[in-house]
Amino acid sequence: MPRPSRRSLLRGLVLGGSAAFLSACDSPGRDDSSPTGRVVPDDPTTWPDDTELLVAARQRIHAHLSMLRATRVPGRAKALDGRWETQIARIEQLITLGGLALPPLEEPSLTDLPADDEAGTTAPRQDGDGDGDSDEAAATTSAGPEAIDVGRLLRAQLPSVVAEIATSTPTNLAMLVSLAAEQADSAHLLGARVDWAPLTGPSGVHAVRVLQATRPAVFGLEVVAARATGEERETYLGVLDQVRALTRQLTTLAGEAAPAPPLGYDLPEPLEDADQRKRLASSLVADIAPATLQAAERLVGRADQLMAAVRVVAEATRWSRELGGPSEPFPGMTLP
């Protein structure tokens, strides 16, 4: 993600999508077959790899959850409660399987929520899965904190979160990138859309891995859009424009490593039925996030490229939702 004690759970956190599954692999390092005999609670040097990052992630998500429960949550973000609970439970399993007792959780203060001018400019939601309330109205109808304030906090934390996960080992890097992408997507759902910097990665051969998912997605979206009409067609075209733009950027980032695109791809037929078209479009877009996580595993220590990977996974998650796909606790990964 063989370390039988810690990695058995990561073996279940498999990179998902319609075509890509990442199996656990052997990696050099100390034998952790019995980590509980070596771990000293007050000595992080005895902890399994990345445990400090997992402890920090658990505390951060707990703080987000506590803050969200103290605010009025818009309908589009109701699922965040369950998603964050699942994340905490999985992280706790990893920590305890590594032989460390769970440290106590600290309760956050709502005064930790940033003001709008501290967290950038927010933008109205665009993904059409809300409850009809405008984000600006949600931010001003109460004297107390609102869900959009939590979203601003999530957005403001992203640079420091990515800087932390850049120190991760390959064992947990994909999972931590997935969690950061979910945080960015959650900020968007809460009304604090992230204004991303220009895409800087993945580059070279790592970009090619993602291109192998975006190119067929572009082709398939073009086909289903051509066979659809009305609102269905507009939905496909909206996602297509964004996936096509990403593909162009990745082609540039790949440089000479980028192979020539094929003339076409085999697609299941027939595609005359709206459900068939939707399933195909959703499955193709669903492959983008796991492909990006696979590329991210090779980007240890490269915070700028990891931030770009977080962006791609977060945006692919939003595109998938627009096409009717589920929102998962670990985007690009599936739980056992």
Side-chain angles (χ1 to χ4, degrees), residues 8 22-23 96 125 183:
S8 57
L22 182 68
S23 61
T96 56
R125 61 178 174 84
Q183 180 171 330

Side-chain angles (χ1 to χ4, degrees), residues 15 18 33 53 91 149 160 192 205 225 250 264 272:
L15 298 185
S18 67
S33 59
L53 295 175
I91 292 170
D149 299 314
S160 61
V205 294
L250 289 169
E272 304 304 324

Side-chain angles (χ1 to χ4, degrees), residues 5 21 40 46 81 100 104 107 112 123 127 146 151 215 280 309 335:
S5 60
F21 286 88
V40 178
T46 68
D81 192 290
L100 186 70
E107 292 304 320
D112 295 336
D127 51 9
E146 292 287 341
R215 282 176 169 174
L280 174 62
L335 297 175

Side-chain angles (χ1 to χ4, degrees), residues 95-322:
I95 294 171
T96 56
L97 285 173
L100 186 70
L102 293 173
L105 289 166
E106 299 178 6
E107 292 304 320
S109 169
L110 292 179
T111 59
D112 295 336
L113 292 171
D116 191 19
D117 58 357
E118 293 180 82
T121 303
T122 60
R125 61 178 174 84
Q126 297 181 342
D127 51 9
D129 58 352
D131 56 4
D133 293 338
S134 73
D135 296 313
E136 292 304 319
T140 58
T141 53
S142 171
E146 292 287 341
I148 192 172
D149 299 314
V150 181
R152 290 170 182 148
L153 176 66
L154 268 59
R155 181 178 61 190
Q157 288 178 342
L158 279 175
S160 61
V161 168
V162 174
E164 284 183 9
I165 66 178
T167 67
S168 171
T169 67
T171 301
N172 294 297
L173 188 54
M175 184 188 69
L176 292 169
V177 169
S178 175
L179 283 174
E182 195 281 334
Q183 180 171 330
D185 182 55
S186 296
H188 180 91
L189 285 172
L190 293 170
R193 187 179 62 184
V194 179
D195 293 321
W196 299 101
L199 201 68
T200 59
S203 60
V205 294
H206 307 307
V208 173
R209 185 181 294 272
V210 188
L211 276 173
Q212 291 170 340
T214 63
R215 282 176 169 174
V218 168
F219 181 82
L221 287 166
E222 288 174 340
V223 172
V224 296
R227 300 190 184 187
T229 59
E231 291 185 6
E232 181 193 1
R233 175 181 170 84
E234 291 304 313
T235 297
Y236 294 140
L237 289 176
V239 176
L240 172 60
D241 286 344
Q242 297 172 81
V243 180
R244 184 184 284 138
L246 172 62
T247 301
R248 289 170 177 161
Q249 294 175 77
L250 289 169
T251 301
T252 300
L253 289 166
E256 294 182 356
L263 296 178
Y265 297 87
D266 291 331
L267 298 177
E269 293 286 355
L271 292 172
E272 304 304 324
D273 180 85
D275 287 340
Q276 294 172 341
R277 292 191 292 269
K278 187 175 182 179
R279 282 195 298 270
L280 174 62
S282 180
S283 66
L284 289 171
V285 170
D287 284 333
I288 298 174
T292 306
L293 292 182
Q294 288 179 318
E297 287 186 314
R298 279 74 174 176
L299 301 175
V300 173
R302 304 173 70 174
D304 59 336
Q305 294 213 17
L306 286 171
M307 179 64 85
V310 168
R311 170 186 175 176
V312 174
V313 174
E315 291 186 333
T317 299
R318 178 167 51 83
W319 300 333
S320 179
R321 186 167 58 248
E322 291 175 8

Side-chain angles (χ1 to χ4, degrees), residues 28-66:
R30 67 177 183 274
D31 178 12
D32 284 341
S33 59
S34 181
T36 55
R38 299 185 181 88
V39 172
V40 178
D42 295 331
D43 183 4
T45 63
T46 68
W47 297 357
D49 290 342
D50 308 324
T51 300
E52 290 180 274
L53 295 175
L54 297 175
V55 169
R58 170 178 175 256
Q59 173 59 50
R60 183 168 56 250
I61 299 166
H62 170 74
H64 297 164
L65 184 58
S66 297

